[in-house]
């Protein structure tokens, strides 16, 4: 019986580790050298971060978390400027129906003529909007973002390896528990050390070589992102920079955090 558990553990370990290796190879192939600075990136109301010239708040958000992160950033930006109201129940309400840039105008269009819409629906509409795709296309053209269809899914592959490591441990425990009382269990458990070492070793290498596990930015794009603790430009709210880089959990305003989390962010 323990051979069946060992076979399942080994197959899961090998397949998950192979997926990480494949994702790493794909990422390396499509991540080119550091790109030339963009000649004139489209302005956004948050301007560029002072530590990385030419990288706007929208671009930071996209490189860190994709179009959904960008949608969260523009919603919070407009809420901080009292032009949107984000309720803790997950609804967005228009206060000032004037957009200052193409992404803000797309946000107002996504909310609709009624002036109120659930945040998940607004986010979904923004992800597919031409204004957000224009930000993505500009980053892809500059070699900072991974093109659609070529994202390696490193984050998902690493999660799969973690699950495989847990499966190995559970399989070993099941083998030990189901073994007859007079059986030699030490040798059987020793075989489970092989897939466990493979998965844990892969996780260690991935943490050292591939972290942060991004599915949006190329290596050059990761280098353009501000380091943790870097000062923001005067035109950029520190909370917006933290949101762009780390997601809704980085927000210090409990009402905004509740609005995004209640909406499924």
């Amino acid at each position: 019986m323990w051979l069946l558990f060992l076979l399942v553990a080994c197959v899961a370990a090998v397949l998950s580790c192979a997926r990480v290796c494949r994702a790493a190879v794909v990422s390396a192939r499509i991540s080119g050298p550091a790109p030339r600075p963009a000649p004139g990136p489209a302005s956004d109301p948050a301007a560029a971060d002072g530590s990385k010239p030419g990288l706007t708040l929208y671009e930071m958000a996209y490189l860190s978390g994709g179009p959904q992160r960008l949608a969260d950033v523009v919603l919070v930006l407009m809420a901080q400027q009292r032009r949107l109201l984000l309720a803790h129940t997950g609804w967005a309400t228009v206060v000032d129906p004037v957009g200052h840039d193409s992404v803000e105008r797309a946000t107002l269009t996504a909310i609709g003529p009624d002036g109120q819409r659930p945040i998940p629906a607004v986010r979904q509409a923004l992800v597919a909007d031409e204004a957000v795709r224009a930000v993505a296309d500009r980053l892809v053209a500059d070699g900072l973002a991974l093109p659609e269809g070529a994202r390696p899914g490193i984050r998902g592959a690493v999660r799969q390896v973690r699950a495989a490591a847990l499966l190995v441990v559970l399989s070993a425990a099941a083998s030990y528990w189901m073994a007859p009382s007079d059986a030699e269990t030490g040798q059987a458990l020793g075989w489970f050390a092989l897939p466990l070492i493979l998965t844990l070793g892969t996780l260690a290498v991935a943490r050292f070589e591939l972290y942060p596990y991004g599915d949006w930015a190329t290596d050059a794009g990761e280098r353009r992102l501000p380091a943790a603790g870097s000062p923001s430009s005067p035109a950029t709210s520190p909370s917006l920079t933290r949101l762009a880089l780390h997601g809704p959990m980085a927000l210090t305003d409990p009402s905004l955090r509740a609005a995004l989390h209640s909406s499924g962010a």
Side-chain angles (χ1 to χ4, degrees):
M1 179 61 72
W2 70 270
L3 286 175
L4 178 60
F5 286 113
L6 178 62
L7 178 61
V8 171
C10 288
V11 170
V14 170
L15 290 180
S16 61
C17 293
R19 184 184 171 191
V20 169
C21 294
R22 180 181 180 277
V25 170
V26 172
S27 178
R29 285 177 178 173
I30 61 182
S31 296
R36 55 179 174 77
S43 61
D44 68 37
D49 184 272
S51 61
K52 300 292 180 181
L55 198 62
T56 68
L57 187 66
Y58 292 159
E59 292 169 339
M60 283 192 289
Y62 185 91
L63 292 177
S64 300
Q68 293 199 0
R69 180 74 58 79
L70 193 158
D72 286 341
V73 164
V74 69
L75 287 171
V76 173
L77 168 67
M78 297 179 72
Q80 287 184 346
Q81 296 178 353
R82 311 297 184 188
R83 294 185 287 122
L84 280 184
L85 174 63
L86 302 183
H88 69 279
T89 54
W91 281 76
T93 303
V94 176
V95 178
D96 180 6
V98 178
H100 295 173
D101 60 71
S102 59
V103 178
E104 289 189 5
R105 288 190 288 272
T107 302
L108 295 172
T109 300
I111 294 175
D114 293 337
Q116 190 175 49
R117 196 177 184 187
I119 293 177
V122 178
R123 187 186 292 118
Q124 183 177 2
L126 274 175
V127 166
D129 191 87
E130 183 63 32
V132 174
R133 287 200 300 268
V135 175
D137 291 344
R138 184 169 65 247
L139 290 170
V140 170
D142 289 341
L144 301 179
L146 299 173
E148 186 177 0
R151 299 184 185 112
I154 292 177
R155 191 188 307 274
V158 169
R159 282 198 298 265
Q160 189 174 18
V161 175
R162 289 172 181 161
L166 178 60
L167 178 62
V168 172
V169 174
L170 294 177
S171 298
S175 299
Y176 180 81
W177 180 70
M178 298 181 65
S181 57
D182 58 345
E184 290 289 339
T185 57
Q187 182 178 4
L189 292 178
W191 283 101
F192 285 94
L194 298 178
L196 186 61
I197 291 173
L198 176 62
T199 53
L200 295 181
T202 301
L203 288 175
V205 172
R207 176 74 183 187
F208 182 76
E209 295 289 344
L210 303 177
Y211 187 83
Y213 311 125
D215 293 339
W216 302 101
T218 63
D219 291 343
E222 292 286 355
R223 290 193 295 269
R224 292 285 296 275
L225 289 172
S230 295
S232 301
S233 68
T236 305
S237 165
S239 63
L240 284 173
T241 302
R242 289 193 298 267
L243 171 62
L245 296 176
H246 307 296
M249 286 297 295
L251 286 172
T252 57
D253 187 328
S255 61
L256 291 176
R257 190 167 61 245
L260 294 181
H261 281 296
S262 65
S263 66

